[in-house]
């Protein structure tokens, strides 16, 4: 009798332990989705380009995964973010450019997670007008936001914060994590930084960080755009178009240095308080005098601008990296790291002198490609490298998959959960890209295209009908357009066939292109 009782008690104990263990495995993960603005993958040290050091962002890769082929569907701020939220291409979710309105009433993955019991927050930059839907708490920058003493809109109420935007955004995020969320619920936090968006205004402590560094420009910095006529029409050249006063801070009191956007630069300067302005002047006034003394011209001016740009751009990233470290440290200290998915990405890539450019928009690699780093100790092995073609289209279904929440049928992205865990190698063989904001700033023509693991086909249209084909294995910097090369005629035909297949798969068409163009031109009061 005694033995039977012991056996019964032991059986009950095993059942209880099994249930607890099963409950732990089924526990929904928290999600911290970190997005910066215009952060080039070249400027994250985990990608190995040697421009700067980002130890905290690198922690995510070291303790999880780095994605070598992360891409966007549309390389411009607001449309990229709309794709991220909805899991649908721009021509489906309606936000094809920065001018068109975004319909917050449509579904997004945060709304789905709310239904699944998550508490949700959006903090920082979203660059989409209207009160964010799907979030229990929002505290976001209006529009592009300001680097110094920025305004935020907290749950619909606008207020100004004293300090530096990157640190303020981090402080708001940590305050929500520590004090505002319900501790017994799984959470989703979108933690989105303004930096390193133009005009690359560094934090006080990092103003001098790269003063002693001279950067070597990319090999194609003085690109002459042979056989790439659309690229030649750009207005985003560091030498020709980067504004000395607005972009490079050469705001001299005498007004001797020419700047197209001097008024905007003055407004940003005036926004600072006395302490901030004193630190700013101590750093930039000697540079202004040095520039006046040097009076660089031609290639010397191009290289001077490139180095000033790189120093400021990379300095703003250092503050972003600090913020990532603070959030990761909190997750560790609070015992949340094991059950929290952390993703770091950008809304698109950026040119750091490649082809002589800054900005984004083109389907060439540096702006089409975006950094993606991801940590989730329960499923992702440290040091994982993901080489598959992943897009921002895929974030929404992936997060829903991890949360064990049904993925709506109209989502066009795919969950890469099993790809990153190594459970499957079955994945797409091509990705699709669209860009619509033309005529517009930087003069990048409308285009669409596809990329496979090796080749890229681009079609520029509107007031041209130009095709480009690249062999990325032989020509990773995209200097040699092979579209009319007889040696690649079979590849050209295969890529055209794939282009048609992918467009049909996602529901894009020439008719949709025309409708989007007409809406865009109407917004700009341009006759079609």
């Amino acid at each position: 009798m005694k033995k039977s009782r012991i056996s019964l008690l032991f059986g009950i104990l095993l059942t209880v332990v099994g249930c607890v263990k099963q409950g732990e495995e089924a526990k929904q993960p928290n999600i911290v989705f970190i997005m910066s603005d215009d952060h080039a993958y070249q400027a994250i040290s985990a990608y190995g380009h040697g421009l700067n050091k980002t130890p905290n962002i690198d922690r995510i890769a070291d303790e999880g995964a780095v994605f070598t082929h992360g891409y966007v569907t549309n390389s411009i701020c607001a449309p990229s973010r709309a794709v991220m939220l909805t899991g649908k291409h721009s021509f489906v979710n309606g936000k094809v450019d920065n001018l068109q309105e975004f319909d917050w009433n449509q579904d997004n993955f945060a709304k789905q997670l709310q239904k699944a019991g998550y508490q949700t927050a959006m903090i920082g930059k979203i660059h989409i007008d209207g009160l964010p839907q799907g979030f229990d708490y929002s505290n976001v920058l209006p529009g592009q936001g300001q680097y110094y003493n920025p305004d935020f809109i907290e749950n619909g109420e606008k207020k100004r914060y004293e300090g530096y935007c990157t640190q303020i955004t981090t402080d708001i995020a940590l305050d929500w994590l520590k004090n505002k969320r319900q501790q017994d619920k799984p959470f989703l936090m979108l933690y989105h930084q303004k930096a390193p968006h133009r005009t690359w205004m560094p934090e006080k402590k990092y103003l001098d960080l790269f003063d002693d560094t001279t950067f070597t420009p990319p090999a194609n910095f003085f690109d002459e755009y042979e056989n790439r006529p659309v690229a030649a029409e750009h207005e985003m050249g560091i030498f020709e178009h980067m504004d000395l006063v607005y972009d490079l801070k050469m705001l001299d009191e005498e007004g001797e240095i020419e700047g197209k956007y001097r008024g905007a630069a003055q407004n940003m300067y005036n926004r600072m308080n006395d302490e901030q302005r004193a630190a700013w002047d101590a750093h930039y006034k000697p540079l202004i005098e040095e520039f006046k003394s040097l009076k660089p011209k031609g290639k010397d001016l191009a290289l001077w601008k490139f180095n000033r740009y790189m120093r400021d751009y990379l300095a703003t990233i250092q503050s972003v990296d600090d913020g990532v470290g603070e959030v990761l440290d909190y997750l560790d200290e609070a015992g949340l790291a094991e059950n929290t998915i952390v993703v770091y990405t950008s809304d698109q890539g950026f040119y750091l002198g490649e082809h002589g450019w800054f900005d984004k928009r083109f389907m060439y690699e540096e702006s089409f490609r975006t950094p993606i780093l991801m940590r989730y100790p329960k499923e992702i092995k440290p040091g994982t490298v993901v080489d598959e073609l992943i897009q921002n289209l895929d974030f929404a279904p992936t997060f829903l998959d991890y949360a064990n929440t049904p993925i709506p049928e109209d989502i066009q992205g795919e969950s890469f959960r099993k790809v990153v865990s190594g459970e499957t190698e079955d994945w797409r063989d091509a990705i699709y890209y669209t860009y619509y904001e033309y005529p517009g700033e930087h003069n990048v023509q409308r285009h669409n295209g596809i990329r496979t693991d090796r080749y890229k086909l681009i079609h520029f249209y509107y007031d041209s009908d130009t095709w480009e084909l690249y062999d990325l294995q032989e020509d990773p910097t995209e200097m040699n357009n092979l579209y009319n090369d007889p040696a690649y005629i079979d590849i050209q035909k295969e890529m055209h066939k794939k282009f048609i297949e992918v467009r049909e798969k996602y529901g894009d068409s020439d008719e949709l292109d025309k409708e989007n163009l007409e809406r865009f031109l109407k917004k700009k009061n341009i006759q079609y």
Side-chain angles (χ1 to χ4, degrees), residues 322-340:
D322 287 347
V324 171
E326 290 186 54
V327 171
L328 293 179
D329 287 347
Y330 169 73
L331 295 176
D332 289 344
E333 293 160 7
L336 295 168
E338 184 71 15
N339 194 46
T340 300

Side-chain angles (χ1 to χ4, degrees), residues 71-72 75 363-370 431 433 451:
Y71 292 89
V72 295
S75 294
M363 195 186 167
Y364 304 125
E365 285 293 285
E366 289 82 12
S367 61
F368 181 27
R369 185 175 163 189
T370 192
I431 51 177
Y433 179 86
R451 188 202 196 280

Side-chain angles (χ1 to χ4, degrees), residues 415-427:
S415 170
F416 53 79
R417 181 180 183 177
K418 290 185 178 180
V419 173
V420 72
S421 67
E423 295 176 57
T424 182
E425 294 180 359
D426 183 22
W427 193 247

